[in-house]
Amino acid sequence: MNFKDVLSKIVKGKKLSYHEIDYVITNFTNDNINEEEMSKFIMEIYKKGLTFKETLYLTNSMIKSGEILDFSKINKTIVDKHSTGGVGDKITLIVAPIVATNGLGVAKMSGRSLGLTGGTIDKLESIEGYNVNLDKNEFINQVNNIGVSVISQTDKIAVADKKIYALRDKIGAVDSIPLIASSIMSKKIASGANIIIIDLKVGNGAFMKDIKSAKKLARTMIKIGKKWNKKVVVILTDMNAPLGKSVGNALEIKETIDFLNGTYQDKRLKTLSSTVAAYMISKGKKISINKAYTLAKETLENGTAYNKFEKWIHCQGGNLSELKDNAKTLEVFSDKDGYIDEINAEKIAIICNELGSGRSNKRTTIDYGVGIVLNKALYDKVKKDELLATIYYNETKEKERLVEQLKQSFKIIGIKPKEKNIIISIIS
Ligand code: URA
């Protein structure tokens, strides 16, 4: 077999075998196929798509390119969740302690920020002392002892995905259903859990812009999961506004603390976190979804989830009273009376990245303290000159432009908008 023959087959629209796909993936991972050649192969998949069988072959080959985690030494049922990348997405930080309080295990490897979206690991690193690099035994022991640990993804899981994703990003081939499905599912399957709840974002702050393609992606991922005996539930969620009030690393940790200890409420955040937690609990404990919702709600409202959160952070060396939250503030006021009809997640994320909260524009370090706090939520009533949002910044020479840009992220209309549920659809 050689690369040219496989490429010519896909160019002619012929179906590929497992061995042909695995040949390309293995040789690209080992640097025997160069980026220029691989770009042609990826672009063919991007333009033509793949059959389900070929998508499964691609996923299987990507899983095989790295380690598969073994949780057999953990004395709990392990449940996992994955988000396809939201703006202000602190759901892992909220649901992990809820689920662990209910007797299940969350042994999670998370990522850093990618493109415009934030990463759970960067958020956790904004807590002074938090160790994202526990070794395997420490990780397993912590899950056995307290039910939860979140560490940084190792480079050893789905090794091929890292290289392929970087290339897809470079050549503009990210939004392809077989490529996304194989990328997400290879990492999730290799991460060891048998129950996987996926929060698939749809909207202007997400790479899936429309519901029809998101549903197709969901069904593909569920089918791949079935082939590996994994229970996969996909929750399609609206990403046309940031999640909760804060975007930025330390700011999101503060919001998580306030949300878990009950001093702050947000309807969309509560709906989404309790839905994700309820599905993890329902599948993990094999109980009805209604019973699981009740347990999630109780754990959140009686403060036990907050206690678990404190314990988790403390066990990993973090000090919640010392956040890396150093920043100056700039306030943004409304120009008119009305109701908030839209807060553009993508525009907010672009500003936060410019402030230094993420790694776009090839930035190698991030500023943990910067970001945006929304003082008005989606659908709120607002009066002229009322505070809309606060910018947390450390370095900028363009305060006026940033204020104007943030103002433009809000769409304010004269009549009360119809509220949309953050949950679009649940597929399993
Ligand atoms: N998230 C992933 O892990 N992979 C993709 O391809 C897109 C989003």
Side-chain angles (χ1 to χ4, degrees), residues 82-85 114 161 165 168 174 176 179-181 183-184 187 207:
H82 178 79
S83 157
T84 59
L114 185 71
D161 176 62
Y165 192 91
R168 284 167 58 203
V174 170
S176 141
L179 293 175
I180 298 173
S183 165
I184 294 177
K187 283 180 292 216
F207 58 79

Side-chain angles (χ1 to χ4, degrees), residues 49-292:
L50 289 177
T51 62
F52 174 73
K53 232 181 187 175
E54 291 169 312
T55 308
L56 180 66
Y57 294 159
L58 178 60
T59 313
N60 292 353
S61 173
M62 283 160 71
I63 293 169
K64 187 178 76 63
S65 71
E67 267 181 17
I68 300 182
L69 293 189
D70 173 15
F71 290 145
S72 57
K73 292 209 176 88
I74 295 186
N75 56 19
K76 296 177 167 63
T77 302
I78 298 295
V79 286
D80 196 5
K81 72 151 289 263
H82 178 79
S83 157
T84 59
V87 178
D89 188 347
K90 64 276 301 172
I91 296 294
T92 292
L93 301 170
I94 295 171
V95 302
I98 297 178
V99 169
T101 306
N102 281 287
L104 297 163
V106 180
K108 189 159 172 53
M109 290 196 172
S110 283
R112 295 180 186 281
S113 76
L114 185 71
L116 283 178
T117 59
T120 300
I121 288 301
D122 293 324
K123 293 170 199 185
L124 287 167
E125 279 189 331
S126 73
I127 305 168
E128 203 60 67
Y130 188 92
N131 181 5
V132 300
N133 296 313
L134 299 184
D135 70 28
K136 222 178 246 174
N137 284 337
E138 290 169 326
F139 181 53
I140 287 176
N141 286 343
Q142 188 173 314
V143 179
N144 276 333
N145 291 336
I146 67 160
V148 50
S149 178
V150 179
I151 59 171
S152 183
Q153 216 153 51
T154 71
D155 289 340
K156 294 178 187 144
I157 299 279
V159 178
D161 176 62
K162 227 185 187 120
K163 269 194 95 178
I164 295 170
Y165 192 91
L167 183 61
R168 284 167 58 203
D169 205 21
K170 197 162 143 187
I171 62 175
V174 170
D175 57 338
S176 141
I177 287 173
L179 293 175
I180 298 173
S182 55
S183 165
I184 294 177
M185 291 311 290
S186 61
K187 283 180 292 216
K188 287 288 108 182
I189 291 168
S191 296
N194 289 328
I195 295 163
I196 304 161
I197 311 300
I198 298 176
D199 173 4
L200 177 53
K201 310 287 189 191
V202 190
N204 63 38
F207 58 79
M208 278 281 124
K209 309 285 182 208
D210 72 280
I211 295 174
K212 196 170 163 220
S213 337
K215 284 189 171 167
K216 192 167 176 209
L217 173 61
R219 286 191 291 268
T220 307
M221 293 192 291
I222 290 166
K223 228 168 138 184
I224 294 172
K226 274 207 179 106
K227 295 283 176 192
W228 280 82
N229 262 335
K230 308 281 178 188
K231 276 197 193 106
V232 179
V233 178
V234 183
I235 306 173
L236 263 59
T237 65
D238 175 72
M239 226 320 127
N240 283 310
L243 201 44
K245 66 174 177 181
S246 312
V247 184
N249 299 293
L251 294 169
E252 291 186 47
I253 294 290
K254 278 189 194 167
E255 182 179 351
T256 301
I257 294 170
D258 292 346
F259 183 79
L260 285 172
N261 71 18
T263 54
Y264 153 76
Q265 297 274 332
D266 179 276
K267 198 170 158 190
R268 293 170 83 244
L269 194 59
K270 187 160 187 179
T271 305
L272 181 52
S273 54
S274 49
T275 305
V276 173
Y279 274 90
M280 291 169 87
I281 295 168
S282 165
K283 298 292 172 196
K285 291 172 86 82
K286 298 195 173 97
I287 58 173
S288 75
I289 186 67
N290 285 344
K291 180 117 201 288

